Amino acid sequence: MKKIHIALAGVALVAISGGGYGLWALGMNQGMEMMSAPIGGANEGGTNEGGGQQDPSTWNIPQGEAATRRHMESGIKAGDVDPETGLTVQYYHDPMVPGRKFDSPGKSPFMDMMLVPAYSGADSADSSSVRVSPRIQQNLGIRTAAVSKGMLAPEISASGSVQWNERERVVIQSRAMGYVERLNVTATLDAVKQGQTLLTVYVPDWVAAQEEYLSLQKMKGENLQPLIDAARQRMLQVGMSAGQIRQVEQSGRTQPRVAIVAPRSGVVTELMVREGMTVQPGMTLMEINGLSTVWVQAEVPEGQAVYVRPGVGVVANAQAVPGQTFEGTVQAVLPQVNSNTRTVLARIELKNPAQKLLPGMFVQTRFLDTNRKTSLMIPSEAVIQTGRRVVVMLSGGEGRFTPMEIKTGIEFDGKTEVLEGLEEGQKVVLSGQFLIDSEASLRGLEIRLNQQEPGSETSGESSSTSTTHSTPAVVESLSENAVTVTHPPVPSLGWPEMTMEFRLPEPSKMPRQNLRAGDQINMEFRMQEGDIPQIVNIQPIKSDAKKGGGEQ
């Protein structure tokens, strides 16, 4: 019984294996047929089933290689008309290295495959744009918007606190030695009005100077005017003002007391005297600060401080004064950054006609820059930030899209300012642009601003990198300046095993007679931008190592 069960299990295993292999072979055959079939239903002759010619851009790689072989047999090159398609061949390229273009058909110098032709008038020949069919556009939900012109004024909000306007502060000092007889303001923060008497000071030194002056005024005689003028000067020297001297002249009596009045309306912020105190010349008696305008120290994030400058309009609201808006302007942006909050202080002067804003109040400010010039604007969702540059996808009509590098300015309210790269009326892609940009990158499209003029770059010029790579290889064939080898996978580049061409060193560094087809070598090479890799060193593998079959 055990033998029967083992035999049945073996038969079942063989049947399952055979069925799996059959399904795998069927899938591979169908895949190869699909790969060989032309995209869009064209036959091998490059025409549709109805007999009309087809756009070669719908060909797959095997069809392109077949066209290149046909061109080689017929002697067709770039600039000639392909009789099968009726289109002019523009150039030949390797689909895996789309940046390099060739004038003649042949084998790719980069991969073990044939070059593929690009035709004038075909979608594949336009190296500056990508074409997307209307059906694909609808599936991707591609939306566009026009480049418009307007004023993009960012509205920045910042919180701040109300402070005294130091430009409205006045300091009252004594001009002579005396005694405070009467003090009308007895506490700080008392409100005063312009012209109000603040205190009365008795000045003994004024009495003698005034009596001398009055005595000379009463004297009769000649040449008294110089004495009178000298007495007047002494009154000025002891601290009397011209108005106080005039009062003495008009009254004819001494005025030993002086009434000090408020030079402006406001609030007493400092009070340094009391009744009966002795005051000295230059002594500060009190300070008064006006409230017709106040300062607000607003904390603006340092990333937005560039948009805040003196003269910018400001609108403020305070929770303590609901329903009322206060207007003002930025007086200065203080040259200091708070290292803890990463904010910059903007000094704002607000109008305070009803004196409702008081120092210490918290306000919310909004900066409104209405003096900015008009500029081009696009929706921010159209901008692609690559890290090194800023790109948008331009819609050129007929399903064509072109990558365009731009220079942007400020961004606000979903709009981005465009400084360079676009013109008013052009259309940019708002959604699906990342998929189009990926397709453009795969096709090697150049950004318009950085695209060089045709003919400015020669095939002999290339920039090489300093990194070198090593691999064993087997020489397949030799030409004057290049060698074709078959090499195993190169891990440092992520290359699989393949047959490809490398540029040989100069003959003075390596004689050509030292290499023959079939030789096994160890080679060191470096990559070159826009050209085949450059060999920098070749070492033949010794005969005792050839037994490994090139797997070293």
Side-chain angles (χ1 to χ4, degrees), residues 360-372:
M361 282 186 177
F362 181 83
V363 296
Q364 192 71 22
T365 61
R366 289 182 293 116
F367 298 85
L368 306 175
D369 188 0
T370 58
N371 296 324
R372 291 185 63 88

Side-chain angles (χ1 to χ4, degrees), residues 299-305 336-344:
E299 298 184 356
V300 182
E302 61 176 336
Q304 300 177 348
Q336 184 178 3
V337 178
N338 189 320
S339 59
N340 296 324
T341 59
R342 309 308 305 173
T343 54
V344 177

Side-chain angles (χ1 to χ4, degrees), residues 350-425:
L350 293 180
K351 298 177 182 179
N352 190 24
Q355 300 185 0
K356 292 184 178 181
L357 288 179
L358 303 177
M361 282 186 177
F362 181 83
V363 296
Q364 192 71 22
T365 61
R366 289 182 293 116
F367 298 85
L368 306 175
D369 188 0
T370 58
N371 296 324
R372 291 185 63 88
K373 297 180 179 179
T374 59
S375 60
L376 297 178
M377 299 184 300
I378 59 173
S380 298
E381 58 183 323
V383 179
I384 303 175
Q385 299 282 355
T386 67
R388 297 177 55 189
R389 60 187 63 170
V390 182
V391 180
V392 296
M393 298 303 299
L394 278 180
S395 175
E398 298 181 355
R400 293 190 179 275
F401 300 93
T402 305
M404 178 69 70
E405 183 180 357
I406 63 174
K407 183 182 293 185
T408 58
I410 63 175
E411 179 182 0
F412 173 70
D413 196 23
K415 298 286 186 179
T416 298
E417 181 183 24
V418 179
L419 303 178
E420 293 180 7
L422 294 178
E423 297 178 358
E424 186 178 6

Side-chain angles (χ1 to χ4, degrees), residues 3-168:
K3 292 182 179 180
I4 296 175
H5 291 164
I6 292 174
L8 292 175
V11 171
L13 182 60
V14 171
I16 293 173
S17 301
Y21 175 78
L23 292 174
W24 175 83
L26 179 60
M28 289 295 294
N29 291 334
Q30 290 181 350
M32 295 299 292
E33 291 176 359
M34 292 176 63
M35 188 174 180
S36 300
I39 299 175
N43 56 26
E44 294 181 356
T47 58
N48 295 329
E49 294 179 359
Q53 293 176 339
Q54 186 194 13
D55 185 356
S57 63
T58 61
W59 290 354
N60 52 29
I61 293 178
Q63 287 178 289
E65 290 183 305
T68 300
R69 293 188 181 94
R70 178 167 48 80
H71 293 180
M72 295 174 64
E73 295 174 358
S74 305
I76 298 175
K77 60 182 182 303
D80 297 339
V81 177
D82 185 354
E84 295 292 336
T85 61
L87 299 175
T88 302
V89 179
Q90 189 173 4
Y91 58 85
Y92 296 86
H93 69 283
D94 187 335
M96 303 303 175
V97 190
R100 288 281 291 166
K101 302 174 183 179
F102 302 89
D103 293 333
S104 301
K107 189 175 180 180
S108 170
F110 311 105
M111 300 292 179
D112 188 15
M113 61 180 293
M114 301 297 293
L115 298 174
V116 174
Y119 294 86
S120 299
D123 292 341
S124 61
D126 188 356
S127 60
S128 63
S129 64
V130 177
R131 184 172 183 179
V132 182
S133 67
R135 180 177 60 84
I136 299 299
Q137 292 186 45
Q138 184 176 4
N139 293 339
L140 295 178
I142 292 178
R143 297 180 294 110
T144 61
V147 180
S148 59
K149 181 175 289 188
M151 184 182 69
L152 190 59
E155 184 177 316
I156 302 172
S157 298
S159 58
S161 59
V162 179
Q163 298 182 0
W164 297 106
N165 185 348
E166 296 181 4
R167 294 191 174 94
E168 291 195 3

